[in-house]
mmCIF file of all heavy atoms in Angstrom:
data_model
loop_
_atom_site.group_PDB
_atom_site.id
_atom_site.type_symbol
_atom_site.label_atom_id
_atom_site.label_comp_id
_atom_site.label_asym_id
_atom_site.label_seq_id
_atom_site.Cartn_x
_atom_site.Cartn_y
_atom_site.Cartn_z
ATOM 1 N N GLU U 1 202.268 114.589 73.928
ATOM 2 C CA GLU U 1 200.877 114.824 74.314
ATOM 3 C C GLU U 1 200.148 115.514 73.174
ATOM 4 O O GLU U 1 200.434 116.667 72.834
ATOM 5 C CB GLU U 1 200.818 115.688 75.579
ATOM 6 C CG GLU U 1 201.557 115.099 76.776
ATOM 7 C CD GLU U 1 200.867 113.875 77.349
ATOM 8 O OE1 GLU U 1 199.680 113.658 77.025
ATOM 9 O OE2 GLU U 1 201.511 113.135 78.113
ATOM 10 N N CYS U 2 199.198 114.794 72.572
ATOM 11 C CA CYS U 2 198.372 115.363 71.507
ATOM 12 C C CYS U 2 196.978 115.654 72.066
ATOM 13 O O CYS U 2 196.720 115.442 73.244
ATOM 14 C CB CYS U 2 198.311 114.402 70.325
ATOM 15 S SG CYS U 2 199.952 113.981 69.683
ATOM 16 N N ASP U 3 196.074 116.100 71.214
ATOM 17 C CA ASP U 3 194.753 116.503 71.696
ATOM 18 C C ASP U 3 194.029 115.367 72.410
ATOM 19 O O ASP U 3 193.467 115.553 73.485
ATOM 20 C CB ASP U 3 193.897 116.998 70.522
ATOM 21 C CG ASP U 3 194.365 118.363 70.027
ATOM 22 O OD1 ASP U 3 195.049 119.048 70.801
ATOM 23 O OD2 ASP U 3 194.056 118.711 68.875
ATOM 24 N N LYS U 4 194.070 114.172 71.810
ATOM 25 C CA LYS U 4 193.260 113.082 72.351
ATOM 26 C C LYS U 4 194.078 111.854 72.713
ATOM 27 O O LYS U 4 193.517 110.853 73.162
ATOM 28 C CB LYS U 4 192.184 112.684 71.335
ATOM 29 C CG LYS U 4 191.204 113.814 71.015
ATOM 30 C CD LYS U 4 190.171 113.366 69.992
ATOM 31 C CE LYS U 4 189.191 114.491 69.664
ATOM 32 N NZ LYS U 4 188.194 114.075 68.638
ATOM 33 N N LYS U 5 195.393 111.917 72.530
ATOM 34 C CA LYS U 5 196.188 110.721 72.742
ATOM 35 C C LYS U 5 197.599 111.086 73.149
ATOM 36 O O LYS U 5 198.081 112.188 72.865
ATOM 37 C CB LYS U 5 196.205 109.880 71.454
ATOM 38 C CG LYS U 5 196.651 108.445 71.648
ATOM 39 C CD LYS U 5 196.411 107.634 70.386
ATOM 40 C CE LYS U 5 196.838 106.183 70.578
ATOM 41 N NZ LYS U 5 196.614 105.365 69.359
ATOM 42 N N SER U 6 198.268 110.140 73.804
ATOM 43 C CA SER U 6 199.649 110.327 74.236
ATOM 44 C C SER U 6 200.504 109.218 73.631
ATOM 45 O O SER U 6 200.111 108.046 73.647
ATOM 46 C CB SER U 6 199.726 110.289 75.766
ATOM 47 O OG SER U 6 201.050 110.461 76.199
ATOM 48 N N TYR U 7 201.664 109.593 73.062
ATOM 49 C CA TYR U 7 202.546 108.630 72.413
ATOM 50 C C TYR U 7 203.886 108.582 73.139
ATOM 51 O O TYR U 7 204.441 109.620 73.526
ATOM 52 C CB TYR U 7 202.778 109.000 70.945
ATOM 53 C CG TYR U 7 201.527 109.012 70.104
ATOM 54 C CD1 TYR U 7 200.792 110.187 69.935
ATOM 55 C CD2 TYR U 7 201.071 107.854 69.480
ATOM 56 C CE1 TYR U 7 199.638 110.205 69.163
ATOM 57 C CE2 TYR U 7 199.913 107.861 68.705
ATOM 58 C CZ TYR U 7 199.203 109.037 68.553
ATOM 59 O OH TYR U 7 198.058 109.051 67.791
ATOM 60 N N PHE U 8 204.429 107.370 73.275
ATOM 61 C CA PHE U 8 205.704 107.158 73.944
ATOM 62 C C PHE U 8 206.857 107.655 73.075
ATOM 63 O O PHE U 8 206.867 107.464 71.858
ATOM 64 C CB PHE U 8 205.878 105.665 74.233
ATOM 65 C CG PHE U 8 207.155 105.326 74.955
ATOM 66 C CD1 PHE U 8 207.276 105.558 76.320
ATOM 67 C CD2 PHE U 8 208.231 104.776 74.276
ATOM 68 C CE1 PHE U 8 208.443 105.235 76.996
ATOM 69 C CE2 PHE U 8 209.403 104.453 74.940
ATOM 70 C CZ PHE U 8 209.509 104.685 76.302
ATOM 71 N N ILE U 9 207.825 108.330 73.715
ATOM 72 C CA ILE U 9 209.053 108.742 73.031
ATOM 73 C C ILE U 9 210.208 108.033 73.727
ATOM 74 O O ILE U 9 210.431 108.217 74.930
ATOM 75 C CB ILE U 9 209.266 110.262 73.075
ATOM 76 C CG1 ILE U 9 208.053 111.016 72.524
ATOM 77 C CG2 ILE U 9 210.518 110.653 72.279
ATOM 78 C CD1 ILE U 9 208.161 112.532 72.633
ATOM 79 N N ALA U 10 210.944 107.221 72.989
ATOM 80 C CA ALA U 10 212.039 106.440 73.560
ATOM 81 C C ALA U 10 213.212 107.343 73.933
ATOM 82 O O ALA U 10 213.373 108.424 73.367
ATOM 83 C CB ALA U 10 212.493 105.375 72.558
ATOM 84 N N PRO U 11 214.055 106.905 74.889
ATOM 85 C CA PRO U 11 215.189 107.726 75.328
ATOM 86 C C PRO U 11 216.090 108.231 74.201
ATOM 87 O O PRO U 11 216.471 109.412 74.223
ATOM 88 C CB PRO U 11 215.932 106.797 76.290
ATOM 89 C CG PRO U 11 214.850 105.937 76.864
ATOM 90 C CD PRO U 11 213.917 105.700 75.725
ATOM 91 N N PRO U 12 216.467 107.392 73.189
ATOM 92 C CA PRO U 12 217.310 107.944 72.116
ATOM 93 C C PRO U 12 216.641 109.100 71.374
ATOM 94 O O PRO U 12 217.304 110.078 71.007
ATOM 95 C CB PRO U 12 217.522 106.735 71.190
ATOM 96 C CG PRO U 12 217.332 105.542 72.068
ATOM 97 C CD PRO U 12 216.259 105.937 73.024
ATOM 98 N N ALA U 13 215.322 108.986 71.151
ATOM 99 C CA ALA U 13 214.598 110.053 70.451
ATOM 100 C C ALA U 13 214.473 111.304 71.312
ATOM 101 O O ALA U 13 214.419 112.432 70.796
ATOM 102 C CB ALA U 13 213.214 109.562 70.033
ATOM 103 N N MET U 14 214.436 111.128 72.644
ATOM 104 C CA MET U 14 214.320 112.278 73.548
ATOM 105 C C MET U 14 215.557 113.181 73.498
ATOM 106 O O MET U 14 215.505 114.342 73.894
ATOM 107 C CB MET U 14 214.082 111.817 74.983
ATOM 108 C CG MET U 14 212.645 111.424 75.297
ATOM 109 S SD MET U 14 211.463 112.794 75.153
ATOM 110 C CE MET U 14 212.003 113.881 76.474
ATOM 111 N N LYS U 15 216.670 112.636 73.001
ATOM 112 C CA LYS U 15 217.881 113.463 72.882
ATOM 113 C C LYS U 15 217.728 114.529 71.797
ATOM 114 O O LYS U 15 218.500 115.487 71.748
ATOM 115 C CB LYS U 15 219.093 112.577 72.580
ATOM 116 C CG LYS U 15 219.440 111.602 73.700
ATOM 117 C CD LYS U 15 220.688 110.813 73.377
ATOM 118 C CE LYS U 15 220.993 109.783 74.469
ATOM 119 N NZ LYS U 15 221.201 110.399 75.798
ATOM 120 N N LYS U 16 216.730 114.370 70.932
ATOM 121 C CA LYS U 16 216.502 115.333 69.861
ATOM 122 C C LYS U 16 215.550 116.456 70.278
ATOM 123 O O LYS U 16 215.375 117.429 69.544
ATOM 124 C CB LYS U 16 215.896 114.628 68.638
ATOM 125 C CG LYS U 16 216.717 113.482 68.086
ATOM 126 C CD LYS U 16 215.952 112.824 66.939
ATOM 127 C CE LYS U 16 216.663 111.595 66.413
ATOM 128 N NZ LYS U 16 215.886 110.936 65.322
ATOM 129 N N VAL U 17 214.897 116.294 71.428
ATOM 130 C CA VAL U 17 213.863 117.247 71.837
ATOM 131 C C VAL U 17 214.038 117.611 73.307
ATOM 132 O O VAL U 17 214.898 117.073 74.003
ATOM 133 C CB VAL U 17 212.448 116.674 71.609
ATOM 134 C CG1 VAL U 17 212.176 116.485 70.124
ATOM 135 C CG2 VAL U 17 212.268 115.355 72.361
ATOM 136 N N MET U 18 213.196 118.515 73.753
ATOM 137 C CA MET U 18 213.249 118.997 75.129
ATOM 138 C C MET U 18 211.825 119.112 75.664
ATOM 139 O O MET U 18 210.873 119.335 74.896
ATOM 140 C CB MET U 18 213.938 120.367 75.146
ATOM 141 C CG MET U 18 214.217 120.944 76.501
ATOM 142 S SD MET U 18 215.148 122.485 76.329
ATOM 143 C CE MET U 18 216.715 121.892 75.691
ATOM 144 N N HIS U 19 211.690 118.931 76.957
ATOM 145 C CA HIS U 19 210.368 119.092 77.580
ATOM 146 C C HIS U 19 209.758 120.433 77.157
ATOM 147 O O HIS U 19 210.401 121.478 77.238
ATOM 148 C CB HIS U 19 210.492 119.055 79.103
ATOM 149 C CG HIS U 19 209.199 119.297 79.809
ATOM 150 N ND1 HIS U 19 208.313 118.295 80.134
ATOM 151 C CD2 HIS U 19 208.621 120.459 80.239
ATOM 152 C CE1 HIS U 19 207.258 118.821 80.731
ATOM 153 N NE2 HIS U 19 207.419 120.123 80.817
ATOM 154 N N GLY U 20 208.504 120.380 76.707
ATOM 155 C CA GLY U 20 207.814 121.603 76.316
ATOM 156 C C GLY U 20 207.897 121.937 74.849
ATOM 157 O O GLY U 20 207.155 122.805 74.369
ATOM 158 N N ASP U 21 208.785 121.272 74.101
ATOM 159 C CA ASP U 21 208.858 121.515 72.655
ATOM 160 C C ASP U 21 207.549 121.112 71.985
ATOM 161 O O ASP U 21 206.967 120.057 72.299
ATOM 162 C CB ASP U 21 209.987 120.690 72.023
ATOM 163 C CG ASP U 21 211.367 121.293 72.224
ATOM 164 O OD1 ASP U 21 211.445 122.464 72.634
ATOM 165 O OD2 ASP U 21 212.361 120.588 71.950
ATOM 166 N N LYS U 22 207.089 121.932 71.035
ATOM 167 C CA LYS U 22 205.980 121.538 70.175
ATOM 168 C C LYS U 22 206.579 121.004 68.880
ATOM 169 O O LYS U 22 207.361 121.700 68.221
ATOM 170 C CB LYS U 22 205.053 122.727 69.899
ATOM 171 C CG LYS U 22 204.304 123.199 71.130
ATOM 172 C CD LYS U 22 203.361 124.343 70.806
ATOM 173 C CE LYS U 22 202.617 124.789 72.065
ATOM 174 N NZ LYS U 22 201.695 125.933 71.792
ATOM 175 N N ILE U 23 206.232 119.749 68.549
ATOM 176 C CA ILE U 23 206.878 119.096 67.413
ATOM 177 C C ILE U 23 205.871 118.362 66.541
ATOM 178 O O ILE U 23 204.726 118.127 66.947
ATOM 179 C CB ILE U 23 207.959 118.090 67.879
ATOM 180 C CG1 ILE U 23 207.306 116.925 68.648
ATOM 181 C CG2 ILE U 23 209.015 118.776 68.748
ATOM 182 C CD1 ILE U 23 208.234 115.757 68.904
ATOM 183 N N LYS U 24 206.329 117.990 65.346
ATOM 184 C CA LYS U 24 205.635 117.022 64.508
ATOM 185 C C LYS U 24 206.412 115.724 64.596
ATOM 186 O O LYS U 24 207.646 115.736 64.639
ATOM 187 C CB LYS U 24 205.571 117.504 63.058
ATOM 188 C CG LYS U 24 204.670 118.702 62.839
ATOM 189 C CD LYS U 24 204.633 119.095 61.372
ATOM 190 C CE LYS U 24 203.707 120.292 61.157
ATOM 191 N NZ LYS U 24 203.695 120.726 59.725
ATOM 192 N N ALA U 25 205.704 114.615 64.640
ATOM 193 C CA ALA U 25 206.367 113.322 64.797
ATOM 194 C C ALA U 25 205.713 112.275 63.904
ATOM 195 O O ALA U 25 204.518 112.344 63.593
ATOM 196 C CB ALA U 25 206.312 112.877 66.257
ATOM 197 N N VAL U 26 206.524 111.306 63.497
ATOM 198 C CA VAL U 26 206.042 110.137 62.765
ATOM 199 C C VAL U 26 205.689 109.056 63.785
ATOM 200 O O VAL U 26 206.446 108.817 64.734
ATOM 201 C CB VAL U 26 207.124 109.619 61.803
ATOM 202 C CG1 VAL U 26 206.649 108.345 61.096
ATOM 203 C CG2 VAL U 26 207.483 110.683 60.787
#
């Protein structure tokens, strides 16, 4: 969830993060 847009995170990538984490993403 960004300021103006929402981007999909695939299940394999979700293993690297957790709900609520603030991250930078490509």
Side-chain angles (χ1 to χ4, degrees):
E1 302 290 344
C2 303
D3 287 340
K4 298 179 180 179
K5 197 170 181 180
S6 180
Y7 298 92
F8 181 77
I9 305 176
M14 280 296 294
K15 296 183 183 300
K16 303 176 185 178
V17 294
M18 187 175 293
H19 176 89
D21 281 347
K22 292 182 180 179
I23 65 168
K24 291 181 179 178
V26 177

